[in-house]
């Protein structure tokens, strides 16, 4: 008698979301640990947004980071005190300041990113090519999901 393989049920989006959330959270925590000392995840995230999207007004930063304006004021004060961002007047509206990453801020981000990428690359080196390809496809899907979410949030 031949046995018929039972099909593997397709996981629900809720099941996949729960597993992804845990994997992404653990990965992010490990990458933060590998980065070493730095200004902390909240300040690093704000600095990264300023570098990527800047120059920004404090209100634009609050919107991009989805945090309240008073929180942004405190974050910017710390980043400015550490020499990681600089304020300049907006030529179109002198009441508004524009925030940009300083060379020191960009260098710090480069260092943190290099450490995190090196750690992850070391972990990926031993994987078979098929699994590496699967992760590359998964990364593309996650990037698309994040871009779609950012577009929806901005609409």
């Amino acid at each position: 008698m031949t046995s018929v393989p039972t099909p593997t049920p397709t996981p629900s989006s809720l099941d996949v979301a729960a597993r992804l959330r845990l994997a992404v959270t653990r990965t992010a925590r490990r990458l933060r640990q590998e980065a070493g000392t730095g200004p902390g995840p909240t300040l690093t995230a704000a600095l990264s947004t300023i570098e990527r999207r800047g120059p920004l007004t404090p209100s634009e930063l609050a919107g991009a980071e989805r945090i309240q304006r008073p929180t942004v004021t405190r974050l910017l004060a710390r980043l400015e005190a550490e020499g990681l961002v600089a304020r300049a007047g907006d030529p179109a509206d002198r009441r508004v300041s524009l925030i940009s990453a300083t060379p020191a801020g960009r260098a710090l981000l480069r260092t943190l990113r290099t450490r995190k990428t090196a750690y992850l690359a070391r972990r990926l080196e031993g994987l078979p090519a098929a699994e590496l390809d699967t992760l590359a496809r998964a990364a593309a899907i996650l990037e698309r999901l994040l871009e779609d979410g950012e577009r929806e949030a901005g609409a």
Side-chain angles (χ1 to χ4, degrees), residues 67-136:
I67 56 179
Q68 298 298 315
R69 178 64 201 269
T71 303
V72 165
T73 300
R74 287 190 300 275
L75 292 176
L76 289 175
R78 290 189 55 201
L79 290 169
E80 206 170 9
E82 293 184 32
L84 303 174
V85 299
R87 293 178 191 260
D90 184 346
D93 185 349
R94 290 286 182 208
R95 298 170 295 170
V96 176
S97 61
L98 295 174
I99 311 301
S100 299
T102 63
R106 288 190 295 278
L108 173 66
L109 288 173
R110 211 172 20 259
T111 298
L112 296 175
R113 289 173 182 149
T114 298
R115 287 179 189 160
K116 292 175 185 182
T117 300
Y119 165 78
L120 202 49
R122 286 191 308 272
R123 302 294 300 162
L124 297 174
E125 281 174 358
L127 292 179
E131 289 182 353
L132 198 55
D133 185 55
T134 298
L135 286 174

